[in-house]
């Protein structure tokens, strides 16, 4: 099977869940990076410059033997099934994993309610308010929904939910979102524990060493 993963040169959870699932399963794929200018054309045309179709003009996109697939959740499930990290015969566990992927989407979308192209100062104030209000509420619920009995969100080993939470929190607490305090995770012990566990997992360390830029936004897991 020929796989090409298409995303930016930025380890955001949307792509990392699928990419790391493939990596964990020892499944080869092309890691195709898209730059700003090409992405502007993708948004307009729904194609890469080489003609590859990008459904809904959005990234991430996974091309499987020439078939382009979009949407974070679907891609994560597909990659998870290939690598054994997403169950094929356990609908309850599958739904539990899904709920964390969808929660990561909710939190991502919440951040973007503060505007993409808005005035930086207005955006900062909106994010400060969010951090004390709805974002803190969502993180509290996320923290509460983890068992806390192991290092992992679900079960006894690294899974798709852990990867999503880890990279989402890296983005949130990494200081690149003006107005979101870098110690935002400190009041959430279960989230922090999961992030630390993912960060120190030997395969994750190898993946980070192999693929992340030296100055990637790591995040603050206290
Ligand atoms: N529902 C999509 C959303 C993906 C998304 O918003 N991707 C961003 C980049 S991280 C994008 O392509 N934005 C451009 C657009 O939506 O026009 C998913 O789950 O993958």
């Amino acid at each position: 099977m020929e796989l090409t993963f298409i995303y930016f040169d930025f380890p955001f959870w949307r792509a990392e869940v699928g990419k790391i699932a493939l990596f964990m399963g020892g499944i080869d794929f092309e890691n195709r990076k898209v730059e700003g200018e090409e992405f502007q054309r993708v948004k307009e045309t729904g194609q890469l410059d080489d003609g590859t179709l990008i459904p809904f003009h959005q990234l991430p996109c996974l091309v499987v033997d020439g078939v382009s697939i979009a949407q974070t959740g679907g891609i994560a499930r597909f990659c998870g099934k290939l690598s054994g990290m997403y169950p094929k015969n356990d609908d309850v566990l599958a739904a539990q994993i899904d709920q964390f992927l969808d929660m990561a989407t909710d939190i991502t979308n919440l951040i973007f309610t503060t505007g993409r192209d808005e005035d930086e100062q207005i955006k900062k104030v909106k994010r400060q308010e969010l951090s004390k209000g709805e974002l803190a509420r969502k993180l509290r619920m996320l923290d509460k929904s983890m068992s806390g009995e192991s290092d992992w969100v679900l079960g006894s080993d690294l899974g798709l939910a852990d990867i999503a939470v880890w990279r989402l929190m890296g983005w949130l607490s990494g200081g690149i979102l003006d107005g979101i305090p870098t110690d935002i995770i400190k009041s959430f012990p279960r989230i922090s524990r999961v992030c630390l566990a993912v960060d120190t997992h030997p395969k994750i360390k190898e993946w980070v060493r192999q693929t992340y830029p030296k100055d990637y936004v790591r995040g603050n897991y206290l």
Side-chain angles (χ1 to χ4, degrees), residues 79-139:
C79 295
K81 283 180 194 162
L82 284 184
S83 71
M85 291 177 82
Y86 190 85
K88 292 180 183 166
N89 297 308
D90 185 342
D91 291 341
V92 174
L93 179 58
Q96 283 182 301
I97 296 170
D98 289 351
Q99 74 181 359
F100 285 99
L101 299 181
D102 288 345
M103 185 60 165
T105 295
D106 288 354
I107 292 174
T108 304
N109 290 342
L110 184 65
I111 300 297
F112 286 122
T113 60
T114 60
R116 281 178 194 267
D117 304 317
E118 217 163 332
D119 175 278
E120 287 304 317
Q121 194 51 36
I122 296 174
K123 202 153 60 180
K124 181 174 174 178
V125 171
K126 282 186 175 179
R127 286 178 179 165
Q128 284 167 339
E129 285 166 2
L130 209 58
S131 303
K132 292 188 212 122
E134 187 55 17
L135 178 59
R137 183 173 161 270
K138 284 239 180 308
L139 293 176

Side-chain angles (χ1 to χ4, degrees), residues 10-11 167 170-176 212-213 215-219 221:
F10 177 74
R167 284 316 307 148
W171 179 62
L172 276 183
S173 66
I176 49 168
Y212 288 15
D215 57 350
Y216 88 98
V217 179
R218 179 181 172 274
Y221 326 124

Side-chain angles (χ1 to χ4, degrees), residues 17 43 49 86 99 108 111 119 151 160 176 180-181 186 192 200 219 222:
V17 179
K43 286 208 282 186
D49 289 348
Y86 190 85
Q99 74 181 359
T108 304
I111 300 297
D119 175 278
D151 281 346
L160 298 188
I176 49 168
I180 308 280
K186 105 166 172 235
S192 301
T200 50
L222 305 164

Side-chain angles (χ1 to χ4, degrees), residues 7-8 12 14 39 43 56-60 70-73 105 112 116:
Y7 200 64
F8 312 103
F12 194 46
R14 284 190 184 287
F39 183 57
K43 286 208 282 186
F56 317 128
H57 305 202
Q58 286 179 323
L59 299 177
Q71 298 292 357
T72 302
T105 295
F112 286 122
R116 281 178 194 267

